[in-house]
């Protein structure tokens, strides 16, 4: 019994030893210390580089996060999670650390000095040492939200700002805003944030009344959240808003497609997408496929037939090169008594894919379709 116990313990220790040998450190970004001549102090920034950075030569947009000591890791995680479906591009993420009470001083009474530090030292350092493009988005919570409300209206260095749990700019500042390029502002708050909701509401009212040209803005309330929890959700929603037309559009129903403007909406969407992010401005195959499948899934034959004709080019792609798709289309046309199109797809499927597992279904469908024409 004693010998058996020793054997079990040895096996357990051996297993632990093997596991330890196979472990590795998880690293997310690096810390850099910048000697700021403007602030006359050393400042710590955190930098995350995209997974593809070392293997590519491309330039990347940058997400700047004020109060990086709290939100840098969230920024990296959210950026990576939104990359999984391709909702946003890969980004360099830069966290700018602050400490109390210094952060409140720099975001308020010494905001001009902090702006000089931010633009002339931080942004300059990142642009000089890393491959960046001209796209910069910046995030701020609470005191930083008030600071960014004015910064996005008065400087040209940032294309978009995400602010949460605070924010305000005077009507005079809003009226003085000018920009040749579109700028984006996403504001978030909660009715439970009783100390800051009033100023955000007031800022929203000023923006609505003045509607400054080339400022594209949105104000969302997330009343399930509180002052301490909203920042992470706001960062997620704000990045989605800024990159709202980066990915292909998705529709929940045919009616939504119609309500948004149908084909005119799609044409405008892809032209705007190309203007912002490059591309040929044409409706992509992903969208064409999704709309065909949506009409099929909702059993909307009118729009299925419309999309099949409107997007006939996508039907010649490799995706549809199978007996499966020829049978699926043939069966749908047969169901809705469009016998000519049903015959077309059944015959194509039988000729092009004679060994398909759907052979018998297509043969029967072809007979039924031909009988339907009699």
């Amino acid at each position: 019994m004693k010998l058996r116990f020793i054997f079990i313990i040895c096996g357990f220790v051996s297993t632990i030893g093997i596991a330890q040998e196979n472990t590795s450190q998880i690293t997310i970004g690096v810390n850099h210390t910048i000697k700021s001549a403007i602030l006359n102090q050393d400042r710590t920034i955190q930098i995350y580089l995209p997974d593809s950075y070392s293997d590519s030569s491309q330039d990347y947009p940058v997400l700047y996060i004020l109060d990086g000591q709290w939100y840098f890791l969230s920024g990296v995680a959210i950026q990576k999670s939104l990359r999984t479906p391709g909702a946003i591009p890969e980004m360099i993420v830069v966290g700018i650390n602050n400490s109390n009470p210094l952060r409140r001083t720099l975001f308020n009474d010494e905001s001009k000095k902090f702006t000089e530090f931010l633009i002339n030292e931080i942004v300059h350092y990142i642009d000089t040492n890393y491959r960046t493009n001209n796209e910069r988005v910046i995030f701020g919570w609470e005191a930083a939200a008030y600071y960014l409300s004015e910064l996005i209206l008065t400087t040209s260095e940032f294309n978009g700002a995400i602010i949460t749990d605070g924010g305000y700019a005077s009507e005079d500042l809003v009226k003085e805003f000018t920009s040749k390029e579109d700028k984006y502002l996403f504001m978030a708050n909660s009715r439970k944030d009783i100390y800051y909701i009033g100023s955000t509401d007031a800022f929203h009212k000023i923006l609505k009344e003045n509607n400054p040209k080339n400022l594209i803005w949105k104000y969302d309330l997330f009343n399930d959240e509180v002052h301490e929890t909203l920042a992470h959700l706001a960062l997620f929603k704000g990045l989605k808003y800024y990159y709202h037309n980066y990915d292909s559009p998705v529709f929940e129903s045919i009616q939504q497609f119609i309500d948004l403007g149908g084909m005119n909406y799609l044409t405008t969407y892809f032209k705007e997408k190309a203007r912002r992010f490059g591309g040929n401005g044409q409706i992509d195959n992903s969208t064409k496929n999704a709309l065909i499948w949506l009409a099929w899934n909702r059993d909307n034959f009118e729009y299925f037939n419309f999309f099949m004709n409107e997007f006939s080019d996508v039907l010649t792609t490799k995706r549809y090169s199978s007996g499966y798709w020829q049978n699926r289309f043939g069966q749908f046309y047969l169901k809705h008594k469009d016998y000519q199109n049903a015959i077309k797809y059944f015959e194509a499927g039988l000729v092009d894919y004679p060994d398909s597992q759907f052979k018998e279904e297509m043969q029967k469908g072809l007979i039924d379709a031909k009988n339907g024409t009699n």
Side-chain angles (χ1 to χ4, degrees):
M1 182 71 178
K2 186 175 182 180
L3 183 61
R4 182 182 177 189
F5 177 76
I6 292 173
F7 177 77
I8 292 172
I9 291 297
C10 288
F12 180 67
V13 171
S14 176
T15 301
I16 291 177
I18 293 171
Q20 288 176 336
E21 289 174 4
N22 292 332
T23 61
S24 60
Q25 190 73 28
I26 297 174
T27 303
I28 302 175
V30 294
N31 286 323
H32 283 257
T33 299
I34 291 181
K35 295 185 179 296
S36 172
I38 294 171
L39 299 181
N40 192 30
Q41 59 186 208
D42 290 348
R43 296 302 301 261
T44 299
I45 63 172
Q46 302 153 295
I47 302 173
Y48 161 82
L49 298 179
D51 295 337
S52 68
Y53 188 89
S54 60
D55 297 324
S56 76
S57 58
Q58 72 180 84
D59 297 333
Y60 294 84
V62 185
L63 170 62
Y64 289 89
I65 297 180
L66 299 183
D67 291 319
Q69 71 278 7
W70 296 325
Y71 302 118
F72 173 74
L73 290 179
S74 246
V76 174
I78 289 168
Q79 190 277 149
K80 288 178 73 69
S81 67
L82 285 171
R83 274 296 304 158
T84 302
I88 68 172
E90 287 187 296
M91 305 182 78
I92 296 171
V93 182
V94 178
I96 303 168
N97 290 1
N98 271 308
S99 60
N100 281 323
L102 180 62
R103 64 183 291 271
R104 291 187 177 275
T105 301
L106 290 175
F107 292 149
N108 289 282
D109 296 338
E110 297 185 7
S111 61
K112 289 184 179 179
K113 183 187 291 187
F114 186 79
T115 298
E116 289 181 32
F117 159 71
L118 175 63
I119 295 172
N120 297 331
E121 294 186 326
I122 299 297
V123 172
H124 176 73
Y125 178 84
I126 297 299
D127 286 348
T128 301
N129 291 279
Y130 300 95
R131 298 193 311 274
T132 63
N133 58 27
N134 293 322
E135 193 167 41
R136 306 185 190 102
V137 182
I138 190 165
F139 166 82
W141 170 83
E142 195 206 57
Y146 290 93
Y147 168 74
L148 291 183
S149 298
E150 297 189 354
L151 182 77
I152 196 65
L153 296 174
T154 56
T155 63
S156 59
E157 278 75 15
F158 295 93
N159 309 84
I162 302 167
I163 63 173
T164 181
D165 296 275
Y168 179 80
S170 69
E171 186 166 16
D172 288 342
L173 209 57
V174 171
K175 287 181 176 179
E176 291 169 3
F177 169 78
T178 59
S179 176
K180 294 180 180 179
E181 304 293 333
D182 288 341
K183 283 196 175 188
Y184 289 80
L185 172 63
F186 180 83
M187 306 185 295
N189 214 324
S190 166
R191 293 295 171 204
K192 292 178 181 177
D193 195 348
I194 59 175
Y195 300 105
Y196 297 96
I197 187 68
S199 59
T200 317
D201 283 348
F203 188 23
H204 174 233
K205 183 180 179 182
I206 290 172
L207 290 171
K208 281 181 66 178
E209 290 176 348
N210 291 275
N211 194 24
K213 183 180 179 182
N214 291 338
L215 182 67
I216 302 171
W217 55 274
K218 185 180 184 183
Y219 179 31
D220 272 350
L221 289 171
F222 302 96
N223 294 326
D224 289 339
E225 304 299 327
V226 297
H227 184 69
E228 294 80 8
T229 65
L230 179 54
H232 312 281
L233 178 59
L235 183 51
F236 175 82
K237 293 288 189 178
L239 280 176
K240 282 186 65 179
Y241 177 69
Y242 180 81
Y243 286 111
H244 65 277
N245 58 351
Y246 180 82
D247 201 6
S248 301
V250 177
F251 304 92
E252 66 180 48
S253 65
I254 295 298
Q255 190 58 52
Q256 184 190 35
F257 169 79
I258 296 170
D259 292 343
L260 286 171
M263 291 301 296
N264 287 335
Y265 169 80
L266 279 188
T267 301
T268 301
Y269 181 97
F270 280 94
K271 284 182 179 179
E272 172 64 12
K273 179 181 177 182
R275 186 183 69 80
R276 289 189 67 190
F277 308 114
N280 59 18
Q282 301 300 308
I283 301 170
D284 64 15
N285 286 352
S286 176
T287 302
K288 295 175 182 179
N289 291 329
L291 285 169
I292 290 172
W293 301 342
L294 178 65
W296 174 84
N297 184 266
R298 298 294 194 268
D299 200 28
N300 188 320
F301 182 72
E302 177 187 355
Y303 270 87
F304 174 81
N305 199 41
F306 171 75
F307 292 139
M308 290 287 281
N309 287 301
E310 188 73 23
F311 304 142
S312 59
D313 60 318
V314 80
L315 301 176
T316 63
T317 60
K318 187 176 180 180
R319 175 181 289 277
Y320 297 102
S321 299
S322 68
Y324 169 81
W325 281 109
Q326 305 308 307
N327 181 56
R328 170 178 276 193
F329 289 151
Q331 296 293 348
F332 196 69
Y333 278 118
L334 178 62
K335 175 184 177 181
H336 289 276
K337 299 181 180 180
D338 185 338
Y339 299 119
Q340 293 301 327
N341 272 316
I343 291 170
K344 169 186 169 183
Y345 281 99
F346 287 137
E347 287 184 339
L350 290 168
V351 171
D352 295 337
Y353 312 101
D355 298 323
S356 168
Q357 67 183 91
F358 302 99
K359 179 179 179 179
E360 291 185 4
E361 287 184 40
M362 289 190 287
Q363 286 174 333
K364 183 179 183 304
L366 182 59
I367 292 171
D368 291 342
K370 287 183 176 179
N371 288 338
T373 62
N374 296 331

